[in-house]
Amino acid sequence: MASAAADVAAVTDALGVDRFAVLGASGGGPHALACAALLGGRVLAAATVASPAPFDGTDAWFAGMAAPGALRSAIEGRDARERYARTETFDPAVFTAADWAALDGPWAALGTDAAAADGAVGLVDDDVAFVTPWGVDLTTVRAPVLLVHGADDRMVPATHADRLAAAVPGAELWRRPGHGHVSVLSGLTEVLDRLLTHR
């Protein structure tokens, strides 16, 4: 996760952007938090939507996940996660009815993009990164942080937002009743508006 901050610094340097806000949804959340922790005053504010929390090595971290098998396999390392990927099948139970409605409507492109992904390399990379040390101390974050999570999320349960809220100083938590992992994105405009208040 820490390497994401270096990548963002390189890109923003190339663009001549000195200060900026960061937003990460789902697996992008840890990357946004890494930027907030490691890039200091360059990050004006950060927001995550449905983000996992750092893995603490306990079974409780998986509680409420409809399909934790991939992440559990990643604990054993890249080879184990790649082996799991060879027989992995998608479990539709990870999405709520609200999620499926979002994928059939305003977030249909998200489902199309996921279906078109070429192989499992990205999924393997992400899952291994989620369950290994992030290389980031979240207690050092000084930028305002907004954590948004669907209360009914079955992919990354809302308890992860509680863990992040406890770890990041001064973080604000918006828990969205009735929303899952995808449908929570319906409030993205409001999240972006909040980030813009920190210009």
Side-chain angles (χ1 to χ4, degrees), residues 45-69:
T48 70
V49 180
S51 174
F55 181 55
D56 63 0
T58 70
D59 222 41
W61 190 83
F62 299 98
M65 291 185 184

Side-chain angles (χ1 to χ4, degrees), residues 14-159:
L15 294 172
V17 176
D18 182 48
R19 304 186 73 203
F20 47 86
V22 289
L23 166 66
S26 189
H31 299 92
L33 292 172
C35 290
L38 298 173
L39 299 183
R42 295 192 68 181
V43 175
L44 295 166
T48 70
V49 180
S51 174
F55 181 55
D56 63 0
T58 70
D59 222 41
W61 190 83
F62 299 98
M65 291 185 184
L71 287 165
R72 287 187 181 278
S73 72
I75 295 172
E76 304 301 322
R78 177 173 297 282
D79 289 346
R81 179 61 182 90
E82 287 176 344
R83 285 194 300 274
Y84 187 89
R86 294 184 197 121
T87 58
E88 184 178 8
T89 57
F90 175 73
D91 184 351
V94 300
F95 291 146
T96 66
D99 288 331
W100 286 113
L103 288 167
D104 285 337
W107 290 97
L110 185 62
T112 301
D113 291 345
D118 186 14
V121 174
L123 290 173
V124 170
D125 286 346
D126 280 351
D127 286 349
V128 172
F130 295 147
V131 298
T132 53
W134 288 7
V136 172
D137 181 358
L138 295 181
T139 66
T140 65
V141 174
R142 294 296 174 261
V145 173
L146 174 63
L147 309 168
V148 182
H149 219 103
D152 299 336
D153 196 327
R154 297 176 189 164
M155 184 172 286
V156 179
T159 52

